Amino acid sequence: MAILVAVTDNEEGRHALRVAADEASAMHTELIVVNLTLGGLDVSGLDAQLAVRVIDRAGRADRDPATAVLDEIDAHPEVTRLVIGIKRRSRVGKALLGSITQRLLMMSPVPVLSVQPS
């Protein structure tokens, strides 16, 4: 059993990481972090007792973010939950830019916990 979290380079991604770490600690399970930031990800602030595995993308040429997350779920059959951060977007914003969140919600083979910073 493991929890996978998609971490983006914004407040929603940081909040998703914190919530996923709390979930993994409560469930006494591993946390798999898919780093979508294209930079280094600091997980040193998480519970030292928590088993954390960080998976980095190789850069912009690497798979698009949603595909990267879905590939990692497929590659890790122990994953039982996906945690993602969300934010409110207008209908026009969704139509023009698409939505990684929407793709993950619709295509994830495991239950998705979507969280929004307060």
Side-chain angles (χ1 to χ4, degrees):
M1 196 162 102
I3 293 177
L4 188 138
V5 59
V7 180
T8 53
D9 195 15
N10 55 28
E11 179 56 31
E12 292 82 17
R14 291 183 291 275
H15 183 67
L17 177 59
R18 289 188 298 270
V19 170
D22 291 345
E23 287 282 310
S25 290
M27 296 174 68
H28 306 290
T29 190
E30 178 184 21
L31 179 63
I32 301 172
V33 180
V34 179
N35 179 10
L36 301 176
T37 69
L38 300 178
L41 183 65
D42 182 18
V43 294
S44 63
L46 301 179
D47 182 1
Q49 302 297 324
L50 183 61
V52 179
R53 185 180 350 163
V54 177
I55 299 169
D56 292 307
R57 286 178 56 215
R60 291 194 188 280
D62 194 358
R63 308 155 292 176
D64 80 319
T67 301
V69 172
L70 293 170
D71 286 351
E72 294 304 331
I73 292 171
D74 288 342
H76 298 90
E78 70 273 19
V79 171
T80 58
R81 183 177 306 163
L82 168 64
V83 179
I84 59 174
I86 61 170
K87 64 180 174 182
R88 181 175 295 274
R89 292 179 50 188
S90 69
R91 289 183 182 174
V92 173
K94 286 186 229 176
L96 292 176
L97 301 174
S99 175
I100 293 168
T101 301
Q102 183 174 351
R103 284 179 55 205
L104 291 174
L105 286 168
M106 299 301 290
M107 299 177 72
S108 176
V110 297
V112 179
L113 172 61
S114 60
V115 297
Q116 182 176 9
S118 43

